[in-house]
Amino acid sequence: MRNVDIVIPGLFLPQEICADACAGLPVPFLEKMLARATLQPLPENGYSCDTLEQWLCQKFVMERQQDEPIALVTLTADGMQPGDGYWLRADPVHLQMRRTQLLLQPDLVLGAEEAAQLCASLNLHFNADGLHFFAPSPQRWYLRVENAPEIVTTPLAQASGRGVQMHLPKGKDALRWHKIFNEIQMIFFDHEVNRTRETRGDLPVNSVWLWGGGRATGKIASPYERVCGDSFLAGAFARTAGIDPGPAAGDWTRLPALDGDMLVAWEGLQRPLLQGDLHAWRDSVLRLEQGYLVPLWEALRNGRVRQLSLDLPGARLGYRFVLKNNAAWKLWRLAKPLEKYALR
């Protein structure tokens, strides 16, 4: 294998929480990689690298639109064809009032029939406006419109656990879409599906989150031979580009046979960090270390991998740590605890 890119949003923590989150965290292979690598800026190539969505759009050479057109990629992975319409993700969420803010909670456990009924109500209400909702997956809904709205949206992962007001669509058409956002909440307020969910103790679906819009512009690039990790989004890019999945965590029996480049996309740190769940963040770091970094370190040292790149996208500050196989033997570069990489 030639090169392995590892993208890990949410690895470096703010200084005020880093010491507690990283205390006693046994990640010696990650720490050795960081210590012996060369630090480089993340290349942009038309996209900034504030988010995993932007990083993937850059790597797979998605044509730049007003938003990162994530809906097109996941729609295809969910078995639908975009045609010539404009698509947005319209994911089911729960909005919780806390003091003076509405906080967004994603990842609702939702059945296919529940999703179908809720989308049917949206379509009945918005049909005259040319808005059409689809739920090929209970957790991933889509909205098709004929004409591209002039808005910029916030990815669901970035808005998760935060006040929605600052993350609503921005741009020339923003007020219209704020109105649609409010109408959806009114439709769902006393919906039969939600009454049933509340009766059994489940959170109601009281809104959708609109993001990742775009129109199909052609085939995306295939920069890797294999893609693996815990990221559904990276897997969707891989399926859309016709790329085979890579080895599962800890299963590296096929590694010597790979001739091209590979991507490991690890998304499991991002949402726990946004939700303030540092125990889940620690658990995810440990799974990354044992499932991928340990075997990749050994593959680098014995020459089966020529170069590892650890890409850490972040808001206005991204890092790339490049580790060639000869650098793995630079024992004088002493590892530092992960907490020493705290963001200031």
Side-chain angles (χ1 to χ4, degrees):
M1 186 187 302
R2 293 182 297 171
N3 305 313
V4 177
D5 289 342
I6 310 170
V7 57
I8 321 171
L11 178 62
F12 290 172
L13 300 181
Q15 189 173 27
E16 59 268 21
I17 63 172
C18 191
D20 289 339
C22 297
L25 191 62
V27 285
F29 290 88
L30 172 59
E31 291 167 353
K32 283 191 288 188
M33 287 181 178
L34 294 173
R36 299 180 193 179
T38 301
L39 181 61
Q40 300 178 2
L42 278 178
E44 295 191 356
N45 299 333
Y47 283 95
S48 63
C49 284
D50 293 349
T51 67
L52 176 64
E53 289 81 7
Q54 292 170 340
W55 190 95
L56 289 167
C57 285
Q58 177 213 119
K59 280 291 183 178
F60 286 82
V61 198
M62 291 285 288
E63 184 176 315
R64 191 74 169 91
Q65 301 187 38
Q66 289 184 96
D67 267 352
E68 287 75 47
I70 298 301
L72 300 174
V73 176
T74 58
L75 181 75
T76 303
D78 280 328
M80 295 181 63
Q81 295 302 316
D84 58 359
Y86 184 95
W87 292 86
L88 286 149
R89 284 279 290 269
D91 294 324
V93 297
H94 176 75
L95 302 180
Q96 181 183 46
M97 179 60 74
R98 188 172 300 174
R99 296 183 180 175
T100 60
Q101 290 194 90
L102 274 176
L103 301 186
L104 186 150
Q105 297 185 43
D107 300 330
L108 300 180
V109 178
L110 195 66
E113 183 58 32
E114 291 178 310
Q117 291 182 42
L118 291 167
C119 278
S121 296
L122 293 178
N123 286 327
L124 182 64
H125 181 85
F126 289 110
N127 183 61
D129 298 313
L131 307 182
H132 306 284
F133 291 82
F134 300 83
S137 162
Q139 276 67 49
R140 286 182 301 280
W141 300 2
Y142 299 87
L143 170 60
R144 187 188 71 208
V145 298
E146 294 305 318
N147 299 312
E150 294 192 36
I151 55 173
V152 177
T153 65
T154 301
L156 179 65
Q158 299 304 114
S160 173
R162 297 182 174 179
V164 301
Q165 195 61 39
M166 296 297 294
H167 298 287
L168 290 174
K170 298 176 175 60
K172 183 179 178 181
D173 295 336
L175 289 180
R176 179 188 179 226
W177 288 89
H178 294 180
K179 180 175 179 290
I180 291 170
F181 182 71
N182 291 332
E183 287 183 37
I184 291 171
Q185 294 173 61
M186 292 173 63
I187 294 167
F188 286 172
F189 175 71
D190 196 34
H191 197 285
E192 180 181 354
V193 167
N194 282 326
R195 290 199 303 268
T196 302
R197 288 178 63 84
E198 289 181 290
T199 298
R200 66 172 185 255
D202 292 334
L203 289 175
V205 181
N206 56 16
S207 190
V208 301
W209 191 250
L210 301 170
W211 67 284
R215 192 185 295 277
T217 58
K219 189 176 181 181
I220 67 175
S222 301
Y224 300 102
E225 184 180 351
R226 297 287 188 273
V227 174
C228 55
D230 74 342
S231 171
F232 167 81
L233 182 57
F237 269 86
R239 288 190 291 276
T240 303
I243 299 171
D244 292 332
D251 178 16
W252 297 92
T253 56
R254 293 183 295 142
L255 188 58
L258 297 180
D259 296 322
D261 296 344
M262 188 171 79
L263 169 64
V264 177
W266 198 258
E267 200 172 355
L269 306 182
Q270 187 169 245
R271 188 154 290 164
L273 178 58
L274 291 171
Q275 295 174 342
D277 188 348
L278 297 183
H279 291 291
W281 182 89
R282 286 172 60 94
D283 289 343
S284 187
V285 175
L286 291 173
R287 289 196 303 273
L288 171 65
E289 168 94 355
Q290 293 302 315
Y292 289 99
L293 301 187
V294 170
L296 281 173
W297 176 261
E298 293 303 320
L300 185 75
R301 283 167 59 94
N302 62 32
R304 286 185 291 157
V305 170
R306 186 176 67 188
Q307 176 178 292
L308 291 176
S309 296
L310 276 66
D311 282 11
L312 315 180
R316 299 177 300 279
L317 185 66
Y319 297 92
R320 165 171 285 178
F321 291 84
V322 178
L323 187 66
K324 298 183 183 298
N325 51 18
N326 63 336
W329 298 97
K330 295 181 179 180
L331 305 180
W332 59 91
R333 293 188 177 177
L334 300 180
K336 299 185 296 184
L338 189 57
E339 65 190 74
K340 297 297 184 181
Y341 296 90
L343 300 175
R344 301 179 185 276

